[in-house]
Amino acid sequence: MTFDLDPAMTWFVIAGVIIVVIAAFLVGARFGSRRALDRLHRYSRTHAPADAEVDPTARYRAALIVNRTKANAENIISTARAVCRFEGWDPPLIFETSPSDSGEGVAEQALEAEVDVVIVAGGDGTIRAVASVLTGTSTPMGIVPIGTGNVLARNLDIVLDKPEWALRIALWGHNRAVDVGTARLSRDGDRNVFMVMTGLGFDAEVMAKTTADAKSKLGWLAYLEAGSRTLVGRPSHVKITYDEDYRVSARVRSVIGGNCGKLQGGIQLLPEAVIDDGLLDVLVVSPKNLGQWVGVAASIIGRKTTKGLHTDIRKCRTVVIESRETLDVQLDGDPAGTTRYLAMAILPGAINVKVPTTEQRREIRAEAWPV
Ligand SMILES: [Mg+2]
């Protein structure tokens, strides 16, 4: 079959096609979504000659920071590689925490590599270390909860027992700007960050007494075991200053500042704490004997939002606690030494955390549905 076009017409058609292709490319480049552009980059990358200069930012890339001491850390690494490949991301950069680096150093390296998301596979301790580096940056943090309590993951509705889903949330989830808590253990001391809760007194003593061995064998029940050994003790004299102007003197067992309030087993320690309201919820626990602890337990189980039996919750932007005695401190469940001074504040919306989208929540529910 032959086409009988005169040469002028042929050139006109060819020129028309070229103009349409160039125009489509320019419009796509100008108005196209990042994903569409990435597809284009990906295409040009896979079809480029081997020695051509390749744009390293062409595909999304994640960094995975793994706490190796957790039981299924090895599994998480291979799952992350598989999920990234399946989702069309570059292979993840894998970093591991170590006794000398609980996460800060590797998080710095991940930031320098300009990854699109830094995923933490660990517990609240590792998350806190990584969050201290990501706070104030635009790089979001993804969470694969493999710790003992996984309290932050619980508060952000990140699935606990499905690492592949947690990874998908970390890749394609919604960026939620949440608050970061800060704690100083002396007037001119360094600023520590926390995502969940910082506590002074009883709760910190429990954390200090809970061994890593007990945590791996008993899970979060280890805290209860250590708690039962710590219940009997003397209250401490403290001065608490809320928002620099409201002062209280009290004898307390514990003062806890929380960014979010949901604990294991459905316990709402701070029932009205909201992770992105720019406020700190401060719980003061002040039982004087074992009997009064029953009142404390009742107040917590009954989700008292202000004054309970030997408990008191207040919202504030800053709080300073000065103690007559030296007390234990914990930051997100990790013992942080002892102090007589603790100042806490909130950095509103200072970190982006990947949380499930509505679509992902629906898919996770559908997958869990028995068939
Ligand atoms: Mg809050």
Side-chain angles (χ1 to χ4, degrees), residues 179 258-260 273-281 315 346:
D179 301 341
N259 194 23
C260 45
V274 179
I275 200 164
D276 53 6
D277 63 352
L279 296 172
L280 196 61
D281 285 48
K315 282 182 186 292
I346 282 284

Side-chain angles (χ1 to χ4, degrees), residues 33-54:
S33 67
R34 191 172 171 190
R35 274 178 89 170
L37 274 176
D38 276 354
R39 244 178 255 134
L40 190 68
H41 280 307
R42 213 178 298 162
Y43 179 85
S44 58
R45 199 173 167 184
T46 48
H47 291 75
D51 59 348
E53 249 198 285
V54 173

Side-chain angles (χ1 to χ4, degrees), residues 149-331:
N150 303 311
V151 180
L152 183 64
R154 283 170 207 274
N155 281 275
L156 292 172
D157 285 335
I158 294 165
V159 279
L160 296 182
D161 44 359
K162 298 186 180 79
E164 63 286 356
W165 259 114
L167 283 157
R168 268 180 225 146
I169 293 166
L171 301 186
W172 298 123
H174 161 70
N175 277 352
R176 182 170 175 196
V178 305
D179 301 341
V180 174
T182 65
R184 282 180 212 278
L185 308 191
S186 64
R187 269 183 192 80
D188 46 6
D190 288 340
R191 190 182 76 179
N192 300 282
V193 311
F194 64 93
M195 296 304 299
V196 181
M197 287 173 204
T198 280
L200 185 68
F202 169 78
D203 63 303
E205 220 178 302
V206 173
M207 305 297 177
K209 281 183 183 170
T210 310
T211 61
D213 184 49
K215 279 208 283 187
S216 67
K217 284 186 184 133
L218 297 172
W220 66 271
L221 284 175
Y223 294 123
L224 286 190
E225 188 276 328
S228 65
R229 288 187 280 133
T230 316
L231 276 179
V232 185
R234 273 168 6 98
S236 310
H237 291 267
V238 296
K239 276 193 287 179
I240 308 174
T241 310
Y242 297 93
D243 288 327
E244 294 173 12
D245 68 359
Y246 182 72
R247 286 186 175 77
V248 182
S249 274
R251 292 181 67 210
V252 306
R253 287 302 305 280
S254 228
V255 182
I256 298 168
N259 194 23
C260 45
K262 201 196 283 181
L263 292 182
Q264 299 95 327
I267 295 172
Q268 293 276 5
L269 192 64
L270 303 164
E272 290 192 327
V274 179
I275 200 164
D276 53 6
D277 63 352
L279 296 172
L280 196 61
D281 285 48
V282 179
L283 166 68
V284 178
V285 182
S286 48
K288 289 179 185 58
N289 54 49
L290 215 48
Q292 292 187 351
W293 271 110
V294 178
V296 171
S299 304
I300 291 169
I301 292 165
R303 299 188 178 177
K304 286 285 180 195
T305 52
T306 49
K307 203 147 183 58
L309 289 165
H310 321 292
T311 64
D312 180 59
I313 300 179
R314 248 171 244 276
K315 282 182 186 292
C316 58
R317 283 175 209 285
T318 64
V319 65
V320 177
I321 304 133
E322 290 154 291
S323 166
R324 208 180 280 176
E325 295 111 76
T326 305
L327 298 171
D328 284 277
V329 194
Q330 59 90 9
L331 300 165

Side-chain angles (χ1 to χ4, degrees), residues 83-94:
V83 170
C84 284
R85 189 167 57 239
F86 185 79
E87 299 290 340
W89 283 51
D90 268 348
L93 299 180
I94 310 287

